[in-house]
Amino acid sequence: MSADWGSFFNSSGNRSSTDEPNIVAGDDDTEPDQGNVLSHIISQLRPGADLSRVVLPTFILEPRSMLERITNFMAHPETLLPMPTVDDPLERFVSVVKFYLSGWHIKPPGVKKPLNPILGETFTGYWKYPDGTYGYYIAEQTSHHPPKSSYFFMAPEHNIRIDGTLIPRSKFLGNSAGSMMEGIAILRFMNRGSNKEKGERYILTQPNMYARNILIGKMKYELGDHSYVRCPENNLVADIEFKTKGYFSGTYNQIGGTIKNSETNEVYYELSGLWNQEMYITDVKTHKKELLFDATKAKPTPPSVRPIEQQGERESQRLWQSTVKGILDRNHDVATDEKTKIEDRQREEAAKRTSEGVEWHPRLFRRVQGGPGGPDEGEEDLDWIINAQINPHDPQLAAKQILSIAPILEGQSESSQFQIPPHKREHEDAPSDQNGAGPSADQAPPSGGEPLEEVQRKDTRTSDVDTFVDAKS
């Protein structure tokens, strides 16, 4: 690549939704208040309890939504953008593993949990790269029980697309709390692979996350267990173990793993190091050990986001604005009150849907239509995928199509907002989605068979693309 990605991103001044830094490599400090978690939650906990039912004190909350936190995954464009340009399949796979490992060190000080998105909450953002191209990100909370955060990323000029759904399942484990990070992401290189519409696919899973010593001792954040990077087209797999510290031995934040051929089981590389410091890759034939990624010298690039005043009421930063201010001001009474208002509103909306006999469905994502011959065959574990047609081989058109899905760039504004998110009455027949796929159980016209009302976008960037259709509330 002609652009000096590393020097550019290490000097970038982009910031995310808050002014509080969230970049911590090797920092395990806890905040003074965190020792009081015990008195706040012990009465609510039983072994095996579902933490989604437990009210957590706001002083252990990260001042951003999970929908925004997922952008950590794309916050090192210097590892992201070069990947599709690597011609050798094995070395290209190594570059994917490097990208995958590069985001885990991004976290606020102490042990923090992101805000749980409410149903229908959305977040969008973008990156402007040094060559004038863009990366676009769209996310929506597509389910509340269980919580599912679905997201889409694309850098059209760089032939990169990512689709994912994150399904955290939280459990109380005695003196620890664990978030079992289910769900997958599919990274695609649209200039590679035999299927030009699907591209060369890499299936990614996530390690689990643990908060240690939540009742007794100094709280500590750990990543744990095995995660995988798989490329079915090239028969390559990386088995990466995030190692948790033993009671008497071991080291925090260690990783280990292998890169091998999934058909022959031949091991090509071994992985080692610390996910918040230096990570290494060793060629098993030559025994040559090289630095893969140094988190201590890496500076993430968070996405740019439209100003609060241009955001809709269910967009993350506007939705949680008062709660986040309370967290940053360490005014936990205000943060708790504002958070409770949002959660109460969500319960009221659910009760209203129940009383009216309607079923909610997402605005921006549709259910994956897998199975033999389905348009999303082999991608069933995504659950949800962006509900739009995007031409991967025409970057200019792709950018317009992406910008027509939801407002992303400054100057775009939300077309409409509803007190209760789009929904349908139960047992209605579903129409085809806007991709032209078959009926989906989660998509239906408004009650009474009324036609969907067209909602016109006003911004000139997308005026020549698709017409918008929103369900009536």
Side-chain angles (χ1 to χ4, degrees):
M1 286 201 139
S2 58
D4 183 358
W5 302 111
S7 63
F8 172 81
F9 291 113
N10 287 337
S11 63
S12 173
N14 265 359
R15 299 305 300 272
S16 58
S17 62
T18 73
D19 291 329
E20 179 177 275
N22 64 349
I23 301 156
V24 182
D27 186 352
D28 63 352
D29 293 338
T30 56
E31 298 196 26
D33 290 337
Q34 289 196 306
N36 299 323
V37 176
L38 173 61
S39 61
H40 190 95
I41 63 176
I42 191 170
S43 63
Q44 304 178 68
L45 299 180
R46 299 290 185 274
D50 182 354
L51 273 186
S52 67
R53 306 291 185 177
V54 174
V55 179
L56 297 175
T58 56
F59 56 74
I60 67 169
L61 292 177
E62 184 177 353
R64 58 177 178 164
S65 168
M66 174 64 86
L67 297 182
E68 183 174 358
R69 190 182 191 183
I70 292 171
T71 63
N72 289 358
F73 195 40
M74 303 88 177
H76 280 294
E78 73 276 15
T79 67
L80 170 69
L81 300 182
M83 294 187 295
T85 68
V86 180
D87 289 327
D88 180 77
L90 180 56
E91 293 310 306
R92 189 163 60 250
F93 187 85
V94 170
S95 74
V96 172
V97 173
K98 177 180 178 179
F99 156 74
Y100 173 82
L101 291 171
S102 67
W104 299 112
H105 72 103
I106 308 170
K107 62 185 254 343
V111 179
K112 298 287 187 180
K113 177 183 182 297
L115 294 162
N116 290 329
I118 66 169
L119 193 65
E121 178 182 334
T122 64
F123 176 85
T124 66
Y126 65 94
W127 290 260
K128 185 174 182 180
Y129 302 128
D131 60 358
T133 63
Y134 286 80
Y136 306 100
Y137 175 82
I138 299 171
E140 181 176 11
Q141 192 70 4
T142 49
S143 174
H144 184 60
H145 288 301
K148 294 183 181 182
S149 301
S150 299
Y151 56 95
F152 163 86
F153 169 87
M154 193 167 187
E157 289 85 357
H158 299 277
N159 300 295
I160 297 171
R161 172 172 172 164
I162 301 172
D163 298 277
T165 294
L166 181 63
I167 311 172
R169 298 183 186 272
S170 301
K171 291 293 183 180
F172 171 57
L173 305 168
N175 198 29
S176 298
S179 286
M180 309 298 112
M181 307 304 283
E182 300 178 8
I184 65 166
I186 297 181
L187 165 67
R188 311 169 196 266
F189 299 149
M190 306 310 299
N191 62 329
R192 304 283 179 178
S194 57
N195 186 327
K196 298 305 179 183
E197 297 306 310
K198 294 290 186 180
E200 183 176 85
R201 294 179 293 182
Y202 297 78
I203 301 170
L204 318 175
T205 66
Q206 296 202 35
N208 297 321
M209 301 180 181
Y210 297 96
R212 305 297 190 190
N213 305 322
I214 62 171
L215 303 181
I216 301 172
K218 182 180 178 181
M219 290 182 67
K220 176 69 181 178
Y221 172 87
E222 280 196 290
L223 298 176
D225 311 315
H226 288 259
S227 62
Y228 298 91
V229 178
R230 293 186 175 94
C231 180
E233 284 86 351
N234 294 324
N235 300 316
L236 293 170
V237 59
D239 178 354
I240 303 167
E241 181 183 7
F242 290 79
K243 301 179 180 181
T244 56
K245 186 181 181 300
Y247 192 79
F248 295 107
S249 62
T251 303
Y252 283 116
N253 306 329
Q254 276 191 310
I255 66 160
T258 60
I259 295 175
K260 67 179 183 179
N261 185 301
S262 58
E263 285 196 338
T264 66
N265 285 324
E266 178 184 0
V267 176
Y268 302 118
Y269 295 102
E270 293 178 344
L271 304 167
S272 60
L274 304 175
W275 55 259
N276 64 335
Q277 296 182 30
E278 295 178 341
M279 289 172 277
Y280 295 90
I281 185 167
T282 302
D283 189 314
V284 298
K285 287 186 177 179
T286 65
H287 304 290
K288 183 180 180 181
K289 184 177 182 179
E290 295 182 344
L291 180 67
L292 183 64
F293 185 78
D294 186 352
T296 65
K297 297 179 180 178
K299 184 177 180 180
T301 304
S304 296
V305 183
R306 291 157 39 249
I308 293 286
E309 58 269 19
Q310 293 182 16
Q311 297 182 23
E313 63 179 23
R314 294 190 89 90
E315 293 190 64
S316 296
Q317 291 182 7
R318 179 176 169 184
L319 177 70
W320 296 104
Q321 185 177 16
S322 298
T323 304
V324 166
K325 186 178 187 302
I327 294 172
L328 295 178
D329 291 344
R330 296 180 183 273
N331 190 330
H332 303 306
D333 289 337
V334 169
T336 299
D337 289 345
E338 295 298 328
K339 178 172 174 285
T340 300
K341 289 178 185 177
I342 294 171
E343 293 166 342
D344 286 347
R345 172 187 171 185
Q346 180 171 225
R347 284 187 281 270
E348 291 168 2
E349 290 174 349
K352 182 177 180 181
R353 290 195 297 273
T354 299
S355 67
E356 294 180 354
V358 297
E359 180 183 348
W360 182 88
H361 66 90
R363 293 178 58 205
L364 308 178
F365 289 76
R366 64 167 173 82
R367 275 206 179 276
V368 166
Q369 296 163 355
D376 309 312
E377 183 178 358
E379 301 176 4
E380 290 80 6
D381 288 342
L382 279 176
D383 280 358
W384 299 90
I385 196 167
I386 199 74
N387 192 17
Q389 279 188 321
I390 301 171
N391 187 325
H393 306 299
D394 185 339
Q396 186 175 7
L397 177 58
K400 289 184 177 182
Q401 291 170 327
I402 294 166
L403 292 171
S404 75
I405 299 169
I408 301 175
L409 300 180
E410 187 169 353
Q412 291 185 283
S413 59
E414 191 64 76
S415 63
S416 59
Q417 290 293 323
F418 307 109
Q419 291 196 354
I420 192 167
H423 56 270
K424 71 178 184 67
R425 295 192 180 278
E426 295 178 356
H427 309 307
E428 287 185 317
D429 293 331
S432 297
D433 61 50
Q434 68 188 58
N435 278 331
S440 165
D442 289 80
Q443 297 169 317
S447 60
E450 299 174 12
L452 294 173
E453 179 181 351
E454 292 185 355
V455 181
Q456 299 290 343
R457 297 289 189 211
K458 299 299 183 184
D459 53 273
T460 58
R461 297 182 186 91
T462 63
S463 60
D464 59 342
V465 191
D466 293 335
T467 298
F468 282 76
V469 176
D470 282 345
K472 293 182 179 179
S473 58

